[in-house]
Amino acid sequence: MLNGAVRSVHRRNLIGLGHTGYQCARHSVNLYSYDTLLQRRPWLVESQKILCRGAKSKATLQLKDLPQGVLEDETSVFNEKDEGRTYPTVVQQARNNMRKFENCVLLTRVGGFYELYFDHATEYGPLLNLKVAQKRTAAGSVPMARRPYQGYAGFPFFQLDRFLKILVQDLNKYVAISEEFANSAAGKVKSGGLLFDRKVTRIVTPGTLVDENFMDPYENNYLLAIHPGRHRHSTTKDENDVPKELMRDSLVAKLADFPIGLAWLDVSTGEFCTQAATMGGLSSAIARIGAKEIVMSNATDDDLKTSILNVLEHARHMVTWQPGTILELPISHWATMLETPIPEVEQAAFTGEETIAGSMLLGYVKERLQGLGIKLQPPIRRQDTENMGIDKNSMKGLELLETSRDGLGGGRGSLLHALRRTVTKSGARLLRSRISSPSTSIAVINRRLDLVDEFLHKLALREAIIHLLRRTYDSQRLVQKFSLGRGDADDLISLSRTIQATLAISTILKRGTVSEEVNAANPSTEADSHVALQILDRGLSLEGPGTLGTQITEAIDEDSLSVIHQSEQILTAEMVTRAQNTLYTEGSAEDFAAMSQVVRSRAGNKISKDSPDLDDTWVMRRSASPLLERLHKRLDELREEQAIMTSDLRVQAATHSLTLRWTPGLGHICHVKGAKDVRISMQAFATARSVSSTKSTRCFYLPEWSNLGGRIDQTKLQIKAEEQRVFQELRGQVVLNLVKLRRNAAVLDELDLACSFALLAEEQGYVRPVLNLGISHKVLGGRHPTVKLGLEEQGRAFVSNDCFVGVKERIWLITGPNMAGKSTFLRQNALISVLAQVGSFVPAEHAEIGIVDQIFSRVGSADNLFQDQSTFMVEMLETAAILKQATRRSFVIMDEVGRGTTPEDGIAVAFACLHHLYHTNKCRSLFATHFHALADMTSGWEGLGCYCTDVAEGISGSFSYDHRLRKGVNRQSHALKVARLAGIPEPAIDVARRVLESSRHFQSDRAEQSLPIAAVVQ
């Protein structure tokens, strides 16, 4: 009723209120009691405007007192629990877990499927190609996601990795996995008879992957923690003069020397490292580590937080903020998560920032694993002086790990792709790590080169090692799975085969060669020292792992495992076939397209009629333990007794169709097939209790078979329990040999990488570099490792060049035409330095290289509009970093500095850079430019040499590039030739040529008045 400004409503019909007025009870979805309504709408009792007069009293209030707008969603999963609203226990468990892990997408295990509920089903169901349905409950409808072409909720458990990839890797979400746990008797009563309880066992994030199938096997999956020290910042007068848009870069520059602690680990391999860094070197450290996820404390100082985020924004790293202040706990607290404790002497070397970063990192991992045990390797402290520094711009410009064109890691055109000849996944990861952080220790580098040299000259040895390495598995990740309690029987078999291959490799290393015969192709190498091989062989620990490998081989039945896998494949094919048939009849084209090609191909596999019988298929051999032998012997006796009983019953029933069976629904039954046999069996076994029958079949109980079947089942359960005990014992042995297995895996990786480099040197004609502590860079006949391969694919030859920079001439000023190879020459020499300190042979005829502490590359052009930085600003920021950080032992390559502004300003900036490199940094530098005036301006510098490339022109107007570098200056860039090759219209080329000729004319005679450009064009 509505009477003027007063509205009276019967309290039994008062449901909800919004901007459209009252809803009638019969149209409402959610019906609340009056008391519940008052709890949810406290404004109804304000100022005692509601009067209660017994059972039929009315509530009266002024219209102006009624709140307007849309009511909050009463079905929100995060609202407080309502009286009278109860969800089914499974749904309520999911609801509780969603509240507890509110930042995660919850996947709840229900039988053979994972399900999503409430808001998660609505939001993520469409992204996962799951249709959202409504589950009716006493508390109202609950959204839940299900496959569009299957009649169940969620998705099958064996597709978990597929959906985790979408959520974690593609969408950068945190995923909480809730698994089922069998309830005890008391738990069943408490849960209302439910067989299972559901608890979150793990939170999956991009940085905490363990053994998911979508992990990149050729790249580490690092999780990085960053912790800066305390900082108090006050704005100075100079900072007030800095424009707001540049204040961010000013702040970063001011904090360049501020200490920062880094700690990173790979949960899948157990690798754990720390480093004391500075804010100025943070960008390079992050680029080198390549973390998938970064953890920071929310209590970090605002200025430091801003500076760090500025570094992370460009690469779009995923950052996880840890609430509260991270306490500086002693390193001894890390011991529970390490395979061996850290000696007290070494603990003192860690800085406070490193310690806090490490504690934050380990705490985060422990929280994400939800109490799952983990054993990490003791942390390795990385020092800036141990490795060549390569900042992110140089890593990108030199295309060390990925190409700037497509950004694909290890893609064609990158140095990683050109070098990779490894045969193991862990060897490929080691190669990637070495490329991003070359060594600066001559002893370490020469030890690596000795090993490459050994395999280069001993072909038979190398081939034998590679053959054995192909038989190994990724033992680093295999071992880590067992430390997390996740390894299965297949993983044990893989580990056993790896151990066997390791034993064979050790035997070969001890001999130093496969045969005692002298290598005819390289007779002199037989007299070489085998020190490098002996060092690796001493690094192998075989006593414990060897015994473990034998135990695994003797315990696990590989043939039975193959039968089990065959059965699983048949089951998968059947499920996919049924799903595909449903799609054909009921699904849409989009649903069918959602099925991957691999899955569809499985549906076409023919299913064998003779499916493997898993009834008596066991993972463990009978001889795995004395108890297993006794149990299997008892089972054999019971099976023999069953066969005798079957024979006797067939004689008694005068039929051969009688069988003794077990079914999940009926238990142990006798089954007879055939109408005639059914009639005979009813006469022969008149006292038997029939459970089901048709015209052609009959099933009935016999006490004798029920008793025997029960004893068979009991024996099977005992065998399974003993198998599980033996399996857990093997798991424990793996954990006990954890340190030795990891040490052996590291040796195998070193062998794989050395054999890879030897094969590369043999294929491409690389030579061993000579490393020294000088500042020279002497390369004879140098080649670009990736450009050469690209040209050869096109049937073209690469022109090699010499480079002697560092002592007599610290700087080479290089001029020449566009497309004549200046940038290639700059990068190839930088790459040769990187390769040499990685421990590889180099693409040259001869190379003597002084150890480089840092390598800097200022090549290419790009803007950063997201951070409001123009192309020239980006160029200047990179140039500033080089001039500030380069030392006398650094190697700098700079290409076209100053081109993003006017010619006058550009020449001034380029000359200033040359001047600073020459007089202040005093480092090896290759400087390419089209500003020919720089040659004249630096003509008096004794430590600077001018070199150039050229163009050879034919009589008919044809031309070719001369990529051979020569002494001198080339004052013509021949840009119009490149423009014509690029397809610029000929009229535009003619205009450009007239403008260029006019410009040259007036430059030679500045006294004459120049014509307007418009007149020249006309």
Side-chain angles (χ1 to χ4, degrees), residues 188-235:
K188 290 179 183 178
V189 174
K190 185 177 180 181
S191 62
L194 284 182
L195 297 177
F196 298 97
D197 188 15
R198 288 167 182 84
K199 300 177 183 177
V200 172
T201 59
R202 184 180 166 211
I203 301 174
V204 184
T205 69
T208 56
L209 302 180
V210 176
D211 59 351
E212 283 69 24
N213 291 331
F214 57 85
M215 289 180 64
D216 188 347
Y218 304 107
E219 183 178 352
N220 282 102
N221 198 81
Y222 285 126
L223 172 70
L224 170 67
I226 303 175
H227 179 78
R230 295 182 178 275
H231 170 65
R232 294 181 180 179
H233 176 69
S234 59
T235 303

Side-chain angles (χ1 to χ4, degrees), residues 659-931:
T659 56
L660 302 180
R661 297 183 178 182
W662 178 88
T663 64
L666 300 177
H668 295 280
I669 59 172
C670 297
H671 180 269
V672 179
K673 184 177 181 181
K676 180 181 178 182
D677 294 340
V678 167
R679 291 194 301 271
I680 296 174
S681 68
M682 293 180 70
Q683 298 172 0
F685 306 105
T687 59
R689 185 163 60 93
S690 182
V691 291
S692 67
S693 62
T694 64
K695 292 183 179 180
S696 59
T697 63
R698 182 194 179 199
C699 297
F700 55 91
Y701 287 129
L702 277 180
E704 298 87 348
W705 169 231
S706 297
N707 181 32
L708 177 60
R711 286 187 288 153
I712 291 175
D713 289 346
Q714 183 65 26
T715 305
K716 284 184 177 180
L717 290 175
Q718 291 175 345
I719 291 176
K720 289 180 180 178
E722 178 62 11
E723 279 196 342
Q724 186 64 21
R725 188 197 66 79
V726 174
F727 180 72
Q728 292 297 339
E729 187 176 305
L730 291 175
R731 267 185 174 176
Q733 289 298 316
V734 173
V735 175
L736 288 177
N737 288 276
L738 198 63
V739 177
K740 296 179 180 179
L741 290 171
R742 281 175 170 164
R743 190 180 302 151
N744 294 347
V747 173
L748 296 185
D749 293 345
E750 288 285 353
L751 287 170
D752 188 18
L753 190 56
C755 289
S756 170
F757 283 157
L759 181 60
L760 176 70
E762 183 180 65
E763 290 178 357
Q764 302 297 324
Y766 287 10
V767 299
R768 176 169 180 162
V770 178
L771 282 300
N772 55 59
L773 295 177
I775 58 171
S776 64
H777 180 89
K778 300 178 182 178
V779 174
L780 183 64
R783 307 182 296 276
H784 195 293
T786 61
V787 174
K788 177 180 178 293
L789 295 177
L791 291 177
E792 288 176 347
E793 290 181 358
Q794 304 172 26
R796 299 164 58 190
F798 184 90
V799 178
S800 60
N801 272 301
D802 304 336
C803 182
F804 304 99
V805 64
V807 181
K808 184 178 179 181
E809 295 174 338
R810 294 197 304 273
I811 299 179
W812 275 24
L813 182 64
I814 304 170
T815 56
N818 297 102
M819 294 287 294
K822 299 189 301 299
S823 297
T824 300
F825 177 77
L826 265 60
R827 299 185 199 198
Q828 82 182 29
N829 283 282
L831 291 176
I832 287 173
S833 295
V834 171
L835 280 175
Q837 294 184 216
V838 162
S840 168
F841 284 23
V842 298
E845 296 176 10
H846 179 77
E848 294 182 25
I849 298 173
I851 292 293
V852 176
D853 64 349
Q854 298 179 88
I855 203 160
F856 296 99
S857 170
R858 159 80 287 280
V859 296
S861 61
D863 54 29
N864 188 359
L865 299 182
F866 181 75
Q867 293 188 354
D868 194 24
Q869 295 173 351
S870 66
T871 302
F872 186 69
M873 182 62 180
V874 171
E875 179 183 316
M876 290 298 98
L877 287 173
E878 295 177 4
T879 302
I882 294 174
L883 299 183
K884 290 179 179 179
Q885 299 175 26
T887 68
R888 190 167 180 266
R889 308 192 67 86
S890 300
F891 194 156
V892 175
I893 63 171
M894 304 187 78
D895 190 16
E896 308 296 349
V897 173
R899 62 180 164 184
T901 183
T902 64
E904 294 79 8
D905 289 347
I907 291 175
V909 170
F911 176 79
C913 292
L914 273 174
H915 186 275
H916 198 280
L917 289 172
Y918 186 87
H919 293 283
T920 303
N921 303 109
K922 299 181 180 180
C923 57
R924 290 161 280 186
S925 305
L926 300 178
F927 197 100
T929 185
H930 285 288
F931 296 142

Side-chain angles (χ1 to χ4, degrees), residues 400-416:
L400 297 181
L401 303 178
E402 60 187 27
T403 59
S404 56
R405 180 181 63 258
D406 51 24
L408 296 177
R412 290 175 61 85
S414 67
L415 181 66
L416 177 60

Side-chain angles (χ1 to χ4, degrees), residues 525-537:
T525 59
E526 292 303 319
D528 293 342
S529 172
H530 302 316
V531 174
L533 296 179
Q534 292 172 358
I535 291 175
L536 282 181
D537 182 54

Side-chain angles (χ1 to χ4, degrees), residues 128-144:
L128 301 174
N129 194 35
L130 303 176
K131 289 188 177 180
V132 180
Q134 297 294 324
K135 180 180 179 68
R136 294 185 178 182
T137 69
S141 296
V142 176
M144 61 185 300

